[in-house]
Amino acid sequence: MKRRILGGTGMSVSEYALGTMMFGAMGNTDHDESVRMIHTALDAGINLVDTADVYSGGESEEIVGKALKGHRDDVVLATKFGLAMGEDPNRRGGSARWIRRAVEDSLRRLDTDHIDLYQLHRPDPHTDIDETLGALSDLVRAGKVRAVGGSFFSPEEIVEAQWTAERRCHHRFRTEQPPYSILTRGVESRVLPTAQRYGMGVLTFGPLNSGWLSGRSDPTTGHRSAGAGAKMFDLTQPGVKAKADAVHQLTALAAEAGLPLPHLATAFVRAHPAVTAVLIGPRRPDQLTDLLAAADVELGDDILDRIDEIVPPGVDVNPDDFYIDPTPPITDKRLRRR
């Protein structure tokens, strides 16, 4: 497993990172199997494990903590905070009040005395970024956190956070975690170049685009095709139909290249010079084994050019792909009414 330096942190991380959103009630409810999957990933050379407090209501963090007993010093451990942890509006966001509580809860669930990378899961429009960065800097100085980062930030929000950190003498965001896949290339236009400009590490999630690039004969079926994300698989929607057409062409290209579609998809993301590590989020052991087999796949310029012909650089095939908007829409009445 090849390694890269995570932004300016000096931490060496594997090009593949293990995402654990699917461990617990949100995916695999077998804790022992999930622990074995984490150990399989570590044995394969993965040393970056990413989770979040909101994943299965903290259950994912507990599973990760159990799996890392005896391995903690060998792992760069990342978790996230900021999404709602209950109905109380004060149990979410980027306020200093919540950050101080959230980090203690995560440390307890992870059964560790420090977090290597602590990330704001989504920008918080209701909290001054100065407040957030100040509280996070306190955690770094206290030794509870080694580095801080953001997730799903727009380029404008990345710049604002960097400027605020410099002007207020805070620890700055060292990483950004955006969605990135062959079907969702919008971040190539401004997010990735902005992260590069500030020397940030980039941890991308969703390389298989919620199963669209998993190689299934019908990607519109599966555990994610219901609930909040159902519209992402509704073929009556023009954007979804366009994705299905692109997947058909990509499947043919992968076969021509002698690769399974998931291997083509993950190798594409890993090839971008801004990307430090690709988060893979398996739910079952066989999915993990298959993705690990793609760790050394390299795509030539001819294949990358063919991908560009199917999905042009900087383009999201379905503009409505993500049901969680990266920035608050103007349609949010809270932002246009007192």
Side-chain angles (χ1 to χ4, degrees), residues 5 13 16 32 74 106 155 169 219 224 244 266:
I5 297 300
V13 298
Y16 267 14
D32 290 338
D74 302 320
S106 286
C169 299
R224 292 188 177 181
T266 52

Side-chain angles (χ1 to χ4, degrees), residues 247-261 264 299 301-307 309-310:
V247 169
H248 179 73
Q249 297 178 67
L250 291 167
T251 301
L253 175 60
E256 184 180 329
L259 294 171
L261 182 57
L264 178 81
L299 302 182
D301 289 341
D302 55 336
I303 298 297
L304 293 172
D305 289 343
R306 294 280 298 280
I307 291 174
E309 293 172 2
I310 298 171

Side-chain angles (χ1 to χ4, degrees), residues 34-253:
S34 296
V35 167
R36 288 194 295 271
M37 289 172 65
I38 294 173
H39 290 166
T40 297
L42 299 183
D43 291 341
I46 289 178
N47 79 323
L48 174 56
V49 178
D50 179 86
T51 185
D53 56 4
V54 76
Y55 294 163
S56 298
E59 189 180 357
S60 173
E61 287 187 325
E62 292 175 351
I63 292 170
V64 170
K66 180 180 179 181
L68 294 187
K69 287 185 180 299
H71 303 275
R72 179 65 186 91
D73 290 341
D74 302 320
V75 172
V76 175
L77 177 58
T79 192
K80 298 180 288 292
F81 72 95
L83 294 185
M85 290 293 286
E87 296 299 322
D88 185 346
N90 284 321
R91 291 177 58 82
R92 68 190 71 179
S95 71
R97 181 180 189 271
W98 174 237
I99 287 172
R100 290 173 183 133
R101 167 69 184 275
V103 74
E104 296 298 338
D105 289 345
S106 286
L107 289 169
R108 172 178 48 79
R109 288 188 292 261
L110 291 165
D111 194 18
T112 186
D113 63 355
H114 72 280
I115 294 163
D116 295 303
L117 177 62
Y118 200 42
Q119 304 154 99
L120 178 57
H121 212 151
R122 294 290 185 273
D124 179 4
H126 307 294
T127 304
D128 191 327
I129 191 65
D130 181 37
E131 169 89 355
T132 300
L133 290 172
L136 291 173
S137 297
D138 289 342
L139 299 183
V140 175
R141 286 188 288 268
K144 296 180 179 182
V145 169
R146 299 294 187 254
V148 296
S151 176
F152 235 119
F153 273 55
S154 70
E156 295 85 0
E157 289 164 330
I158 293 174
V159 171
E160 181 185 10
Q162 294 290 324
W163 284 6
T164 301
E166 179 179 352
R167 293 174 180 180
R168 300 292 188 178
C169 299
H170 296 316
H171 285 270
R172 66 186 181 94
F173 284 153
R174 290 291 189 175
T175 62
E176 167 60 16
Q177 188 175 139
Y180 185 37
S181 73
I182 297 177
L183 300 175
T184 51
R185 302 184 62 176
V187 295
E188 292 174 345
S189 62
R190 295 188 301 147
V191 172
L192 296 185
T194 301
Q196 285 179 294
R197 191 170 299 120
Y198 286 101
M200 301 172 70
V202 175
L203 314 176
T204 66
F205 69 89
L208 303 187
N209 197 239
S210 297
W212 278 96
L213 298 171
S214 66
R216 292 201 306 262
S217 58
D218 183 3
T220 63
T221 63
H223 71 283
R224 292 188 177 181
S225 59
K231 70 178 183 180
M232 296 170 62
F233 302 90
D234 182 359
L235 288 171
T236 66
Q237 303 296 318
V240 178
K241 179 61 167 60
K243 282 176 66 173
D245 293 342
V247 169
H248 179 73
Q249 297 178 67
L250 291 167
T251 301
L253 175 60

